[in-house]
Amino acid sequence: FLNQTNHNVSYNRFNKEEVYSLLFQHDYRATDNLIFIGNAKLDSYKRNGHLENTTERLFRLGAIYTPSDTLGFKGFYTRTYLPVSFYNADFANKLAPKLTSQQYNIYTAEAVYSKGHSKFNLIYNYVTIDDFIYLTPIGFVNIDRPIKTQGLIANYIHTLPSKDQVHLNYFTSKQNEGASNYQTGGYVKY
């Protein structure tokens, strides 16, 4: 699969970006209840402006295991990125103006139990971000240490005879840079 997209950015008529992507994906069913999933993607940014040309690599590996009709497990590792934007570059720290893409390593594990009108799932995630782009008082910079966060999410959904649903959710998370958002919380929805 090869994709070319031309983006004309309205900030400046001289800023033009071409993105070329090459994607490989394969799912392998080892047994009736075990599937392995893998994909790899290469993104090449050809820029006509003050951002440098870059090439980014993404991939994802995972497995889905359903030992019964009511129980399922899945786990994934994903390597992805967030590219530098024109906004980041325009407001970069003038002492260190070269910014690089943020690199994400994402690990997730999920267990699901479903029976009758009820479904419960538990999701664990662990994320590291290298080269995090941060806005300081003197401009955007890449942070020189990884940002790490991990969390746990519990969801319960019950479908009523009227087809209405009750959702219960609870989450907890922590990160190495201190609290920037809620560290625990949840919701009840009807």
Side-chain angles (χ1 to χ4, degrees):
F1 174 76
L2 183 61
N3 180 27
Q4 177 189 2
T5 308
N6 291 322
H7 303 281
N8 291 319
V9 179
S10 61
Y11 305 122
N12 179 335
R13 69 179 184 194
F14 299 108
N15 287 336
K16 182 180 175 185
E17 184 172 274
E18 295 177 5
V19 180
Y20 299 89
S21 296
L22 183 62
L23 173 67
F24 298 96
Q25 180 170 322
H26 186 67
D27 301 346
Y28 174 72
R29 183 175 292 276
T31 65
D32 287 342
N33 56 4
L34 178 61
I35 301 171
F36 293 102
I37 300 165
N39 61 49
K41 184 179 179 194
L42 187 68
D43 287 339
S44 180
Y45 290 81
K46 304 297 181 197
R47 295 172 163 150
N48 179 14
H50 62 278
L51 292 179
E52 293 184 13
N53 293 343
T54 62
T55 300
E56 304 290 348
R57 293 163 190 81
L58 302 87
F59 58 89
R60 186 172 197 212
L61 301 170
I64 300 172
Y65 177 58
T66 52
S68 70
D69 291 340
T70 59
L71 187 62
F73 302 96
K74 63 181 171 180
F76 283 92
Y77 167 69
T78 304
R79 171 80 175 175
T80 189
Y81 71 98
L82 183 63
V84 178
S85 71
F86 289 112
Y87 179 76
N88 298 139
D90 285 345
F91 295 102
N93 180 344
K94 299 307 177 206
L95 299 175
K98 184 179 177 192
L99 296 173
T100 59
S101 297
Q102 298 178 141
Q103 302 295 321
Y104 289 78
N105 291 296
I106 304 167
Y107 302 86
T108 58
E110 181 177 2
V112 177
Y113 178 76
S114 179
K115 183 144 179 134
H117 298 285
S118 296
K119 178 181 176 182
F120 176 76
N121 69 326
L122 194 61
I123 304 165
Y124 170 78
N125 59 67
Y126 179 81
V127 180
T128 61
I129 307 169
D130 294 320
D131 299 320
F132 185 80
I133 298 174
Y134 180 72
L135 179 59
T136 69
I138 57 172
F140 284 103
V141 298
N142 285 110
I143 293 179
D144 62 355
R145 64 191 175 282
I147 304 296
K148 298 177 184 177
T149 181
Q150 62 181 328
L152 190 63
I153 303 168
N155 290 303
Y156 175 75
I157 300 172
H158 183 76
T159 304
L160 302 170
S162 62
K163 302 293 184 199
D164 291 332
Q165 292 185 331
V166 176
H167 291 232
L168 304 174
N169 169 279
Y170 174 78
F171 71 88
T172 182
S173 66
K174 65 180 180 177
Q175 61 180 331
N176 66 329
E177 293 295 314
S180 63
N181 293 311
Y182 293 108
Q183 300 297 297
T184 59
Y187 60 82
V188 176
K189 286 203 257 184
Y190 171 75

